[in-house]
Amino acid sequence: MIITREILEEKEHINLRAYAIKNSGSKGRKYYQEKDPYRLDFQRDRDRVIHSMAFRRLKDKTQVFVSHYGDHYRNRLSHTLEVAGFSRDLARNLGVNEDLAETIALAHDLGHTPFGHAGEEKLDTIMRKFRLRFEHNEQSKRIVSILEKRYPDFPGLNLSYEVLDGISKHSTSYDQMDTDIKYGLSIEAGIVNICDEITYLSHDVDDAIRSGVLSISEFACMDIFKESNMGTVYEQYMGDEKYFIRCINNVTKMMMQDCYKQTLSNINQLGIKTVEDVYNTKQSIVSLSKEMEDLVTPLRDVLYNKFYFSDKVRKQSKRGQKIVEFLFNLYISHPTSEMESSSEPLHIVVKDYIAGMTDAFALKIFND
């Protein structure tokens, strides 16, 4: 028997919680399209994101280190895939929509500039001169809604409303520093937000040690790593990198399990029964416990203060910002023929073009 979309939708109603967003309950797409006979709408959205040009460019965009810095450091694509994996797992454990959570995760960083958050901050500073802002989550939504050109009948990818909503409401403690989007969003979108943070807290420790910016001892003294050890052998092997990577994995597992338990507790305490309850709740639903937050805070502080703002990272960040500013001024004063023919204001076109660049392409144009 062939498993059709109708059968898959029926399975969702049987297997997913009442407060999960189901494909049959989606608000649909901006531009009407016939349903796929064998795929659910959110599956279809996931495939569209993966096949987009913006998704492919993530492999050459900075996570912390510029893409050419070393082969084994995370880039924006590997980070995205890690977030998608965690999001899918947590959504499955909570009985909500895995496909929706995975799709939001895969799309959440499409709008990131070259040179990571440093490039984003510089482009935001530039856009403020035009009384606008630049935030990569809004740029991600703009990419999938307008800028990707893969279909003759409509601009963008024509993703479902729930995916677009999750992208635009993406936020972690590092993203959107002057906003606080913690409620008024689906549980699936909330899962992506927290899995993004769990992911970078985990893999940035690995990259910080691998790069030599920080040592194992600077993390090993933290309570969260002491609690992650595998019995009494911790002290004996504390300086062993392979063993410490195992400790990082254990920390990740601790945060994921804590999030699962705390989120279920939140759902019960808040009386969440339906999707409407989720959107109307004025408190965080998907979260870590207070005890886990207390353990995570020192780790977050060390990464912010000693890694992201270390001399090695700041040096490449400053160069990246210099390149972004140079390229913006270059194209404002010498736009390409395609830029001049656009119906959009020039500063918007230039912003879109630079935000879409990979590290390597931006460096090439700058050097040329």
Side-chain angles (χ1 to χ4, degrees):
M1 179 182 72
I2 297 176
I3 305 297
T4 64
R5 175 179 51 79
E6 289 82 3
I7 293 173
L8 293 173
E9 287 181 349
E10 182 61 30
K11 285 185 175 181
E12 279 193 336
H13 281 280
I14 294 171
N15 296 327
L16 298 187
R17 300 286 190 263
Y19 44 75
I21 292 182
K22 302 172 182 65
N23 280 268
S24 60
S26 172
K27 294 181 181 179
R29 308 175 187 278
K30 182 176 181 179
Y31 303 97
Y32 174 77
Q33 289 183 279
E34 292 286 342
K35 297 282 188 179
D36 190 290
Y38 304 112
R39 289 181 299 167
L40 297 168
D41 285 345
F42 299 144
Q43 287 180 284
R44 201 174 181 185
D45 291 339
R46 178 197 60 206
D47 295 343
R48 290 183 179 190
V49 170
I50 289 175
H51 289 285
S52 68
M53 290 189 292
F55 186 78
R56 294 196 292 274
R57 290 197 299 269
L58 292 176
K59 70 181 178 65
D60 287 321
K61 290 196 174 189
T62 297
Q63 178 61 27
V64 175
F65 290 108
V66 175
S67 58
H68 66 262
Y69 194 86
D71 291 339
H72 296 148
Y73 297 106
R74 269 72 172 187
N75 55 45
R76 193 61 61 175
L77 179 59
S78 62
H79 164 78
T80 293
L81 294 175
E82 290 183 39
V83 176
F86 287 154
S87 299
R88 187 174 58 244
D89 291 346
L90 189 53
R92 182 186 298 127
N93 289 337
L94 291 171
V96 296
N97 200 306
E98 295 177 43
D99 292 332
L100 175 57
E102 181 182 18
T103 304
I104 296 170
L106 290 170
H108 83 279
D109 268 355
L110 292 180
H112 241 300
T113 63
F115 313 117
H117 286 285
E120 179 180 16
E121 289 166 5
K122 175 54 68 174
L123 206 49
D124 181 50
T125 299
I126 293 170
M127 295 310 294
R128 286 173 188 255
K129 298 176 183 177
F130 299 93
R131 298 183 179 180
L132 297 171
R133 296 294 306 274
F134 181 88
E135 291 176 345
H136 77 267
N137 59 320
E138 286 300 326
Q139 188 69 13
S140 298
K141 185 178 178 181
R142 179 170 169 81
I143 286 171
V144 299
S145 300
I146 299 172
L147 299 180
E148 278 285 330
K149 303 184 188 304
R150 298 186 62 83
Y151 302 94
D153 301 329
F154 49 79
L157 304 180
N158 198 28
L159 302 182
S160 302
Y161 167 84
E162 292 77 12
V163 175
L164 296 177
D165 186 58
I167 294 171
S168 65
K169 293 178 179 176
H170 176 66
S171 175
T172 69
S173 61
Y174 197 86
D175 300 316
Q176 292 190 304
M177 296 299 285
D178 57 353
T179 61
D180 190 16
I181 303 172
K182 292 185 178 179
Y183 47 81
L185 68 167
S186 66
I187 289 179
E188 290 84 355
I191 284 171
V192 176
N193 284 351
I194 202 159
C195 284
D196 187 15
E197 187 153 2
I198 289 172
T199 301
Y200 76 69
L201 284 173
S202 303
H203 67 46
D204 286 356
V205 172
D206 188 13
D207 283 355
I209 293 170
R210 186 180 301 277
S211 66
V213 173
L214 295 175
S215 66
I216 290 176
S217 61
E218 290 180 270
F219 295 104
C221 61
M222 296 181 185
D223 289 340
I224 193 169
F225 282 99
K226 289 180 180 179
E227 293 195 17
S228 75
N229 73 78
M230 299 170 287
T232 57
V233 296
Y234 177 79
E235 294 295 336
Q236 181 180 354
Y237 295 102
M238 184 176 65
D240 186 286
E241 184 174 338
K242 293 188 294 295
Y243 180 79
F244 198 74
I245 289 173
R246 182 64 182 272
C247 288
I248 296 172
N249 295 342
N250 284 352
V251 166
T252 306
K253 182 169 67 175
M254 286 166 54
M255 289 190 285
M256 289 290 287
Q257 291 177 351
D258 178 86
C259 181
Y260 168 66
K261 293 174 184 177
Q262 184 60 44
T263 299
L264 282 182
S265 175
N266 293 341
I267 289 170
N268 292 330
Q269 290 182 7
L270 295 170
I272 303 294
K273 302 294 184 184
T274 66
V275 174
E276 290 72 23
D277 291 341
V278 172
Y279 280 109
N280 291 330
T281 298
K282 300 301 182 183
Q283 297 181 42
S284 299
I285 298 175
V286 184
S287 70
L288 298 174
S289 67
K290 183 182 182 304
E291 293 75 17
M292 182 57 67
E293 279 288 351
D294 289 342
L295 289 174
V296 166
T297 296
L299 171 59
R300 188 185 292 119
D301 290 344
V302 166
L303 287 173
Y304 284 167
N305 297 323
K306 294 187 176 182
F307 183 40
Y308 305 142
F309 294 101
S310 65
D311 290 342
K312 184 178 288 189
V313 175
R314 283 173 65 88
K315 182 179 179 180
Q316 67 168 27
S317 296
K318 287 180 179 179
R319 184 169 188 234
Q321 290 185 332
K322 176 184 176 182
I323 292 171
V324 167
E325 185 172 29
F326 174 86
L327 293 178
F328 189 91
N329 292 333
L330 171 69
Y331 288 115
I332 286 292
S333 58
H334 299 86
T336 64
S337 57
E338 186 176 1
M339 290 175 180
E340 289 182 312
S341 64
S342 173
S343 59
E344 296 262 28
L346 181 59
H347 60 278
I348 298 295
V349 178
V350 174
K351 177 264 295 181
D352 289 339
Y353 187 56
I354 292 175
M357 290 180 175
T358 62
D359 296 358
F361 185 70
L363 282 166
K364 179 182 181 302
I365 299 299
F366 178 75
N367 290 330
D368 287 348

